[in-house]
Amino acid sequence: MTPQFSGVLLCLCFPLITKAQQDATHHHDSIPHAQLENIIVIAQQHLSNKKTKVLSSLDGYLENNNAVNMIKRGAYAWEPLLNGMATERSVITIDGMRIFGACTDKMDPVTSYVEITNLSKADIHSGQSGAANGATVAGSIDLVRKIPGFSDRGFNGSVFTGLETSNMQKIASTSLQYASGRFYTDVDFTYRDANNYKAGGGEEILYSQFTKYNISGIAGIKMNEHQQLSASVIYDNATDVGYPALPMDVSLARAFIGSAAYQYHHVSPFIENWETKFYYNTVTHIMDDSKRPEVPIRMDMPGWAKTGGFYSKLSGAEGKHNWLANLSGYYNTSLAEMTMFSNNPAEKDMFMLTWPDVHSFYSGIFIEDNIAINNNWSTVFTLGAGINNNTVKDEQGLESLKIFYPQMQKSNTRLLNNISAKVNYRKQQWMLGAGIGYGERAPAVSEAYGYYLFNSFDRFDYIGNPEMKKERSLELNTVSSFTSKKFSIKAQADLFRISGYIIGKPNPGFSPMTIGANGVKVYEQLSQAMIFNASLSATCQLTKAFLLSGKTVYRAGRSGALRLPLIQPLSYGTTLQYQLKQFTAEASMEGALDQTRYSAAFGETPAKAYTVFNISASQQLNLHNHKLTIKAGIENLLDKYYSTFADWNRIPRMGRNIFINVIYGF
Ligand SMILES: [Cu+2]
């Protein structure tokens, strides 16, 4: 089964999953291990959630996937890179909803506005198999909401608390659910508060604190046997977030995410499920340097992003075909400004629009067909097309950009197409698959219209380029796996050949706005760039109680002689798990080789090889009908001081960290 196929299977099984949580549990467990790697189970009390630190951030969950790297600018709001590519190249959605961050410096990826209590799983698709919710190059990450479903469970809930010693992070969370045959609701609340963390050896990393809370609610009502309505809201509010790798912090990052959906099962023998959703979300991001003792000039940099959209998704089965069709669209407005306060009261403050109120519209259609040719062979075809428009609404912003691009148009429309094909062969315990895909994306707001956006990595001010063409990606992928009761192994590789690769290049003709900057870079397109990803993972059931697993990941990225930045060096990890009844224990090791192929042109310095060790244990107690789970562990056991390729400006990672998670379910 390919990831696409399992994705569709999950979509088809969605109505079944919502029927009852017990059923859902059973259903998940029936997914073969090799497929689970593209689904990260997040629900805290789900049997498939094997993570010991269940109350880790969503970022902590995503990081375990072989296709994902998390770029860290501090302890909060890590940026997910998919297949070695930055967020402009992937589509990150919450239950299929498009959301855009409001920070010009990538301090607020979509993933920072949800909490683990909001979600049941994250669904990861590589390359064009992830084009269902919008045009992509790298693929997609869909964060799936937790839904109690219709059942006769009545009231139940859980209380979570956690403590981590390195930054004295305190976590408190509750989740309350009610389910009946006709109605369900889930309300949850999560609070996290952390001080500065300490690197290995005890050095305090200043400006790495954060505080956040998240409230969410979801409710569903069954209109009749086959039709249901649901509504969902998430409110996420982070304050006093420090970014030690950046010159500025965040005083407020806030999101409101709301949606309403209508679902119709068994529309006809041919159409299994029809779901239509309308959504709206708004993000506010306020950057702040008032806590930094020394800055060359004080700055205020707020940003706002608002997105409204819809999708209407049909899926069904007919003979050998399992199909899916999705019509989706969104309208986004992105506005960000910067005020530089003069140190000399006689001089005027300087104001500019860093995102000049850019309005973006996208609407697209995507279809997918899985054909089971016979017991051994199956194929997956996908096809999609969309229309993308960007318009600069602010006249002052438009005039400012016209200084660099006198011919520039106020509005720009692009057609974005995607197509892919995959063939799979399975015989007994073996599975082999190979695929090819082609996709296009439009330049992101910063790439097209950003105005003097300072990048603290290479210390250049970046100016967007509204006259760029589409970025076009041709991909090849292959997967092979062997799965038996005691042993499984999976090897995966993909190659992306990207034409018109968008990247900033120095322009010596312009002078920077930021004091101390190295110069100005303007977004341009490289005729071609290649990105290669490979991973190998294996698990072995040594005895009934001991499970050994290991993985290794390798990436490469270059354009001719130019190396692309933020590409993971050869990394590895291994875990030994022990399970006896309700007790589990785990020892793990993770590390990377020296990063020899770093990109000096982008200000990258090499990250040294490292190895860190972690241990943890958990015990579940049954108290009448209630469940108490205690999980504890030590991360970076040897208190190693290290920094990886993914650490912005090479800020050191957390040193020894003792954590304890307590979960009480009633
Ligand atoms: Cu920011």
Side-chain angles (χ1 to χ4, degrees), residues 293-327:
E294 276 170 52
V295 286
I297 194 159
R298 291 276 163 204
M299 287 192 283
D300 240 4
M301 295 180 70
W304 301 270
K306 291 174 184 146
T307 310
F310 78 97
Y311 68 76
S312 192
K313 205 185 281 180
L314 287 168
S315 59
E318 164 89 19
K320 293 180 168 184
H321 298 263
N322 264 292
W323 61 274
L324 168 85
N326 189 20
L327 174 71

Side-chain angles (χ1 to χ4, degrees), residues 81-257:
L81 259 57
L82 186 57
N83 287 320
M85 291 180 254
T87 42
E88 294 90 354
R89 293 189 174 84
S90 57
V91 172
I92 302 174
T93 51
I94 298 170
D95 263 349
M97 299 185 280
R98 297 298 301 261
I99 299 176
F100 293 87
C103 178
T104 50
D105 297 347
K106 297 188 168 185
M107 291 152 110
D108 72 335
V110 171
T111 40
S112 70
Y113 291 113
V114 274
E115 255 299 341
I116 51 166
T117 42
N118 306 150
L119 305 173
S120 66
K121 63 187 173 97
D123 227 331
I124 298 175
H125 289 266
S126 261
Q128 296 311 317
S129 68
N133 295 315
T136 183
V137 167
S140 69
I141 302 176
D142 187 37
L143 305 167
V144 181
R145 281 283 267 150
K146 186 178 72 183
I147 299 170
F150 301 106
S151 75
D152 52 8
R153 289 190 81 192
F155 276 107
N156 66 85
S158 3
V159 178
F160 316 92
T161 65
L163 185 72
E164 303 198 11
T165 57
S166 177
N167 57 356
M168 283 313 286
Q169 182 179 175
K170 297 157 281 284
I171 308 158
S173 178
T174 68
S175 171
L176 291 170
Q177 305 185 348
Y178 173 79
S180 74
R182 296 194 58 85
F183 177 75
Y184 68 75
T185 183
D186 178 296
V187 178
D188 51 59
F189 174 80
T190 302
Y191 174 80
R192 292 177 191 268
D193 178 63
N195 302 340
N196 290 333
Y197 71 84
K198 292 192 180 68
E203 181 198 341
E204 180 179 352
I205 304 303
L206 294 177
Y207 317 112
S208 62
Q209 80 289 346
F210 63 87
T211 302
K212 89 171 271 184
Y213 69 85
N214 175 292
I215 306 172
S216 85
I218 189 163
I221 184 161
K222 201 187 252 183
M223 297 151 70
N224 58 45
E225 195 56 26
H226 297 305
Q227 294 179 68
Q228 63 187 62
L229 286 172
S230 63
S232 157
V233 288
I234 298 174
Y235 182 82
D236 193 279
N237 193 86
T239 50
D240 188 24
V241 184
Y243 290 81
L246 300 179
M248 291 189 93
D249 302 312
V250 162
S251 59
L252 176 72
R254 175 187 288 162
F256 167 82
I257 301 158

